[in-house]
Amino acid sequence: MRKPILIGNWKMNGSLQANQALMVRLLPRLRLFRRAIDLAICPPSPYLFQVRDLLGYTGVMLGAQNAAGYVSGAYTGENSATMLQEMGCRYVIVGHSERRVLFHESSQEVAARFRAVLSAGMTPILCVGESLTERESGLTSVVIEQQLQAVVDEVGIAAFANAVVAYEPVWAIGTGQTATPEQISEVHQKIRKFVAGSAPEASIDLGQELRIVYGGSVKQANAYDIFSLADVDGGLIGGASLHADEFGAIAGALADASGVTGEVSAI
Ligand code: PEP
């Protein structure tokens, strides 16, 4: 049984004041769904401490947006996975397309970051996805398999038992253009098949156990339809996670789509 998960990626947005205001409005909405679905917020690193304190005992988990592939040393500007773990992070996004495209992180580098997150006892959220040109050239599967294979080569397929994969078509991120249900289903099924096909025979059915979330312009208006798809286990939400009403409604859509409605717990 795959527990649905909703992750908010604040990207490089926020301030002490804005974060406080957002969380005060958001947490009462999220707490309605915290037993039905897993929830995580990934603020920029300077705010991890603040957000950790604001999350308190709500059950909403803390995540980070990236982690170094190195343990420690002369890597100015990087945060080690151990440091993030010490801050209270449970999840770390790796391989976000903004890192791959804008900061030229290769799939091998992403794989090293994935390894570091696992080694520090946290769950990597591995982002994979194709650009518009790659999709239009019929290369979607090739690109995604290459991104997954780099991680398999680094840590082995069994490591996916402790990971989340986020399918994020690059052309859908922050553009308002969402992939169609057919496009999403097709890629999610292929990811499951790839993972199942890479697993040694004796291992559990990793492909079926793996949580695969979708990301790319998810909003209240389209969330339920996306989350109702059989192979979609939740969402990685960028822009909409900065709005309490919107993110709260997306969490509600995920709980509804997973068959859990209404208030299931109070703090
Ligand atoms: C993201 O940042 O991972 C993302 C999916 O962004 P958005 O929801 O804004 O498209």
Side-chain angles (χ1 to χ4, degrees), residues 135-253:
R135 173 164 281 274
E136 287 173 348
S137 310
L139 293 173
T140 300
S141 302
V142 175
V143 168
I144 291 171
E145 286 188 11
Q146 176 268 325
Q147 291 168 338
L148 293 169
Q149 189 63 50
V151 177
V152 175
D153 291 345
E154 173 79 18
V155 290
I157 192 67
F160 281 77
N162 299 312
V164 172
V165 171
Y167 169 50
E168 297 209 306
V170 180
W171 47 273
I173 298 178
T175 58
Q177 199 185 340
T178 317
T180 64
E182 293 72 28
Q183 290 169 326
I184 297 170
S185 288
E186 188 186 2
V187 175
H188 280 229
Q189 280 164 18
K190 282 191 174 155
I191 293 172
R192 245 180 244 301
K193 217 166 151 191
F194 173 89
V195 171
S198 304
E201 271 175 44
S203 78
I204 51 159
D205 192 349
L206 278 176
Q208 280 312 309
E209 296 289 319
L210 178 67
R211 291 195 289 183
I212 308 175
V213 301
Y214 169 77
S217 297
V218 176
K219 309 181 238 357
Q220 179 178 357
N222 57 24
Y224 183 83
D225 287 346
I226 294 171
F227 296 151
S228 298
L229 298 169
D231 282 297
V232 175
D233 304 312
L236 176 53
I237 316 297
S241 71
L242 296 166
H243 303 280
D245 289 343
E246 190 76 17
F247 195 59
I250 293 171

Side-chain angles (χ1 to χ4, degrees), residues 29-217:
R29 289 164 172 76
L30 294 188
R31 74 178 188 180
L32 304 179
F33 310 110
R34 68 182 181 137
R35 293 249 168 85
I37 61 177
D38 283 343
L39 289 152
I41 302 280
C42 304
S45 309
Y47 299 127
L48 285 171
F49 229 62
Q50 180 202 19
V51 174
R52 182 186 73 175
D53 287 350
L54 290 167
L55 291 176
Y57 295 100
T58 59
V60 179
M61 292 171 277
L62 187 67
Q65 297 177 14
N66 206 357
Y70 308 99
V71 174
S72 64
Y75 302 105
T76 302
E78 292 282 299
N79 299 306
S80 84
T82 312
M83 293 170 189
L84 298 171
Q85 194 274 337
E86 237 188 339
M87 288 295 105
C89 290
R90 299 274 301 276
Y91 291 91
V92 183
I93 298 169
V94 294
H96 192 283
S97 66
E98 286 152 18
R99 300 300 315 176
R100 292 181 191 262
V101 177
L102 302 175
F103 299 96
H104 311 294
E105 286 184 15
S106 67
S107 290
Q108 288 66 35
E109 192 177 341
V110 170
R113 292 174 188 269
F114 183 108
R115 174 193 280 282
V117 172
L118 270 185
S119 302
M122 298 176 292
T123 303
I125 300 164
L126 172 67
C127 299
V128 297
E130 80 289 1
S131 68
L132 190 55
T133 317
E134 288 161 345
R135 173 164 281 274
E136 287 173 348
S137 310
L139 293 173
T140 300
S141 302
V142 175
V143 168
I144 291 171
E145 286 188 11
Q146 176 268 325
Q147 291 168 338
L148 293 169
Q149 189 63 50
V151 177
V152 175
D153 291 345
E154 173 79 18
V155 290
I157 192 67
F160 281 77
N162 299 312
V164 172
V165 171
Y167 169 50
E168 297 209 306
V170 180
W171 47 273
I173 298 178
T175 58
Q177 199 185 340
T178 317
T180 64
E182 293 72 28
Q183 290 169 326
I184 297 170
S185 288
E186 188 186 2
V187 175
H188 280 229
Q189 280 164 18
K190 282 191 174 155
I191 293 172
R192 245 180 244 301
K193 217 166 151 191
F194 173 89
V195 171
S198 304
E201 271 175 44
S203 78
I204 51 159
D205 192 349
L206 278 176
Q208 280 312 309
E209 296 289 319
L210 178 67
R211 291 195 289 183
I212 308 175
V213 301
Y214 169 77
S217 297

